[in-house]
Amino acid sequence: MNQPEKAPTREPGFQVSDSACAAMLSAIFLLLGGFIAWHHEMWRDEIQAWLIARDSASPIEVLYHLNRGDGHPGLWHLFLYCLKQITWSPIIMQPFHLIIACTSVYVFVRFAPFSRLHKALFPFGYLVFYEYAIICRNYALGVLLLFLFCALFKEWKTRFPLLGFLLLLLAHTNIVTLIITIAIAVGLSWELISTPNRPEKRDIWVGLSLIFFGILTSIIQLKPSNPGRFEWTDLTRGVSDFERFQNAVNIIPKAFFPIPEITLRFWNTFLLDAIPGADSAMFVLATLIFLFAVILLLRKPAALLIYLIGTLGILAFFASYFGFIRHWGNLFILFLAAIWISRYCADSAAGQRTERGQLRRRLNQLSFAAGRGLNYVLILLFVVQLAGGIAAASLDYKHPFSEGKAVARFIKNTELDDMMIAPEVRSDVSLEILGYLEREQFYYPRPKRFGSFVSWDPTYASTAYLPTDDVLQEIRRFCNETSEDILVISGHVYPEAIRLKYGLQNLKVFRPTVIRESVQNFVLYRMSPNS
């Protein structure tokens, strides 16, 4: 990383070009990813985004719904809004999302300044192959935009407005990539100040304007108009709480070594948690990872600033909102991006080697030593992530990820899809059933309203954890009022006394799956009006 870029040497005999290698690895990734994605059953968060886009009459309405506490800017949802013009089936998200992930792989393999071995291992790691390819969320879009930025950064002096536009889009992907965008903006500003051969003034103003417009509008989009599950005041909770921040620091090893436990509910589990004294071990490992990255980037101030501000900003966010591996993985992606960008940043030691003291020389020596060890560190990281990717993909293939698809299939096959449906479970728990049924809406008895996607408003918060009896009483009232049979979606098998009290006929008990919040598994009941 710390050596001048050299033209690749060509050995005699048959050689595979970088573009051909990228195309082959991307094709393998697409085939394997398509196979696992075909067997992946989407869950709540995947379907929530789809339903917001599906049920919005315009792009403006998409952003309006997101602004009511969903906690995401709108770029991914606007893409989904375009897809819903083709079909109401959420399945269309999966090939679209996989193409995004495949493009990220192509850009990385084709343009990243890493070895062929690194590039062969990287696409099939846990984060890239599973979390950001199989599970359809906005995080894959953030990886693609960041990699595109890195690929074009080599020519940043002539493509500054284009880089600004990419960062505008990156800021509108999710809140973590917004933090990364802010970090990159600072790093770019440093590079502009410290580099004599700058882009044209007009290009600088256009590029910076795009970046800051993207940051500002993303912040406006993320600030909820209603109190909901996401509050800006929440972001200050962990900043002054050292224990919370230390817990956030312990996330770093999980982002770099994401191997799940081999169990049914493997998602968001980590083998690292099974290590004796796991918290202390992970804190030490996190410190070593962070120091290695800092030392590695010492001679590249712009890349170092990007890594430091991005990592510390993300950790500050995690100290307030702890998140999950889909969020934490950005720490590893940022690490790779900072190394990638550093190849084309100005060298702080250039022209200054006789002007600094012994400390400067020792720091430079440390940075060079870290650079020499980088190859082996990356091999270790990519091999571990490969093991995690194989484990997660195998478990997702073996076990249903969500029950929603199976429940919807049963309802259609038994011709119950023309019935009124009322989930006794929380409205967000049954979203995948609504999405796979391609129904317009359910009757949600907790907030006592019809709806599709969840509005994270005070009504949801105040009714989400009502007692089962209260919810069943509302379904009974609604059933008698409409004089129609109601298909009740429950989260567990009721005792006989409850079934007799509310006149519930057991239709189907579904088996537990990988993901299930607040319930063990879905159970379907029929409720008929009182005569």
Side-chain angles (χ1 to χ4, degrees):
M1 185 199 76
N2 293 300
Q3 299 297 335
E5 189 174 7
K6 298 178 182 179
T9 57
R10 297 290 182 182
E11 299 293 336
F14 177 75
Q15 294 290 321
V16 179
S17 67
D18 289 341
S19 57
C21 182
M24 287 189 293
L25 281 171
S26 300
I28 296 170
F29 179 91
L30 187 62
L31 289 172
L32 294 177
F35 177 76
I36 300 299
W38 180 256
H39 292 87
H40 171 74
E41 300 82 7
M42 291 180 284
W43 75 296
R44 181 195 69 185
D45 284 12
E46 295 170 273
I47 300 296
Q48 166 79 353
W50 172 253
L51 292 176
I52 289 175
R54 190 200 73 177
D55 295 342
S56 296
S58 67
I60 297 299
E61 192 173 329
V62 172
L63 300 180
Y64 169 78
H65 288 310
L66 289 172
N67 191 234
R68 296 175 66 82
D70 204 77
H72 291 281
L75 184 61
W76 169 245
H77 300 76
L78 292 176
F79 278 114
L80 299 184
Y81 177 82
C82 296
L83 292 179
K84 77 95 175 255
Q85 311 301 326
I86 302 172
T87 177
W88 262 36
S89 172
I91 293 174
I92 195 174
M93 281 196 298
Q94 294 181 287
F96 177 71
H97 186 267
L98 193 59
I99 288 170
I100 290 174
C102 188
T103 306
S104 299
V105 167
Y106 181 86
V107 172
F108 183 89
V109 176
R110 176 68 179 83
F111 299 106
F114 301 114
S115 73
R116 287 280 176 89
L117 178 58
H118 298 149
K119 294 177 179 181
L121 293 171
F122 171 77
F124 307 102
Y126 175 87
L127 293 171
V128 177
F129 185 69
Y130 186 72
E131 200 69 45
Y132 301 146
I134 306 304
I135 300 175
C136 299
R137 299 297 309 283
N138 53 19
Y139 307 103
L141 191 58
V143 174
L144 173 59
L145 290 168
L146 184 57
F147 283 180
L148 286 172
F149 173 85
C150 293
L152 291 170
F153 186 77
K154 183 178 181 180
E155 303 171 9
W156 71 274
K157 295 177 184 178
T158 58
R159 297 195 174 189
F160 202 76
L162 178 56
L163 293 178
F165 179 69
L166 287 174
L167 292 178
L168 183 155
L169 296 178
L170 185 65
H172 282 268
T173 305
N174 57 71
I175 193 169
V176 180
T177 55
L178 169 62
I179 295 170
I180 292 174
T181 302
I182 294 171
I184 292 176
V186 175
L188 273 178
S189 299
W190 177 278
E191 196 75 357
L192 283 169
I193 293 170
S194 60
T195 304
N197 184 19
R198 302 184 183 93
E200 298 286 339
K201 284 187 177 180
R202 176 180 174 277
D203 288 348
I204 293 175
W205 282 110
V206 170
L208 290 178
S209 298
L210 288 170
I211 295 169
F212 291 116
F213 178 77
I215 292 171
L216 177 63
T217 51
S218 179
I219 292 172
I220 293 172
Q221 175 69 41
L222 285 166
K223 189 177 187 304
S225 58
N226 285 338
R229 66 170 182 170
F230 178 81
E231 298 286 348
W232 278 104
T233 53
D234 292 343
L235 300 183
T236 61
R237 287 185 302 172
V239 175
S240 58
D241 189 328
F242 178 76
E243 184 178 352
R244 292 179 68 94
F245 193 81
Q246 182 176 349
N247 290 337
V249 170
N250 287 355
I251 286 170
I252 294 177
K254 294 183 179 182
F256 280 65
F257 302 99
I259 301 181
E261 296 177 2
I262 310 303
T263 181
L264 170 64
R265 291 184 170 161
F266 68 90
W267 198 40
N268 291 313
T269 65
F270 301 90
L271 284 181
L272 286 176
D273 288 331
I275 298 174
D279 286 346
S280 299
M282 281 192 285
F283 188 78
V284 171
L285 186 55
T287 304
L288 292 175
I289 292 170
F290 183 77
L291 288 177
F292 175 81
V294 169
I295 292 170
L296 182 69
L297 299 169
L298 272 176
R299 299 178 69 246
K300 308 286 185 171
L304 179 60
L305 275 173
I306 291 170
Y307 178 75
L308 281 176
I309 295 172
T311 298
L312 294 177
I314 292 171
L315 292 180
F317 173 69
F318 290 155
S320 304
Y321 175 79
F322 197 63
F324 301 95
I325 184 59
R326 55 187 178 273
H327 311 107
W328 308 338
N330 285 282
L331 289 166
F332 179 70
I333 299 299
L334 175 62
F335 170 76
L336 294 180
I339 296 172
W340 189 342
I341 292 169
S342 71
R343 287 292 298 269
Y344 313 112
C345 290
D347 191 332
S348 66
Q352 301 180 15
R353 292 188 173 105
T354 61
E355 300 175 11
R356 302 293 182 180
Q358 191 172 1
L359 177 60
R360 158 74 73 175
R361 291 194 297 273
R362 288 183 176 178
L363 289 175
N364 286 343
Q365 289 170 357
L366 276 176
S367 186
F368 277 118
R372 288 191 293 271
L374 178 62
N375 176 61
Y376 304 103
V377 170
L378 288 178
I379 290 174
L380 171 64
L381 293 174
F382 289 150
V383 167
V384 170
Q385 295 225 5
L386 176 65
I390 293 172
S394 301
L395 290 166
D396 194 305
Y397 172 74
K398 181 179 180 181
H399 305 291
F401 192 79
S402 160
E403 297 163 85
K405 189 174 183 179
V407 175
R409 185 187 301 117
F410 175 83
I411 291 173
K412 289 180 179 179
N413 290 344
T414 54
E415 299 181 349
L416 299 173
D417 49 329
D418 59 344
M419 291 179 62
M420 189 77 71
I421 298 178
E424 180 269 313
V425 294
R426 294 196 326 252
S427 51
D428 58 305
V429 174
S430 60
L431 285 179
E432 57 260 44
I433 301 174
L434 176 64
Y436 276 113
L437 278 175
E438 300 176 37
R439 285 283 290 262
E440 186 174 344
Q441 57 188 2
F442 285 165
Y443 178 71
Y444 293 124
R446 293 171 184 268
K448 300 181 181 180
R449 63 190 180 194
F450 285 91
S452 58
F453 58 86
V454 177
S455 296
W456 308 102
D457 54 20
T459 302
Y460 170 84
S462 63
T463 62
Y465 299 100
L466 290 175
T468 299
D469 259 333
D470 291 356
V471 181
L472 289 175
Q473 285 175 19
E474 171 57 24
I475 297 175
R476 165 53 64 195
R477 183 204 64 78
F478 180 72
C479 179
N480 291 337
E481 181 181 283
T482 58
S483 299
E484 293 185 28
D485 283 6
I486 304 294
L487 188 61
V488 179
I489 302 172
S490 174
H492 53 273
V493 177
Y494 297 130
E496 184 178 359
I498 293 290
R499 296 200 301 272
L500 291 174
K501 180 179 178 179
Y502 294 103
L504 295 167
Q505 176 191 352
N506 191 325
L507 298 179
K508 176 71 173 178
V509 179
F510 294 86
R511 63 188 176 114
T513 53
V514 172
I515 181 70
R516 185 76 275 130
E517 294 187 357
S518 80
V519 300
Q520 288 299 312
N521 53 288
F522 282 130
V523 184
L524 292 183
Y525 295 94
R526 181 197 292 268
M527 179 185 290
S528 300
N530 289 333
S531 54

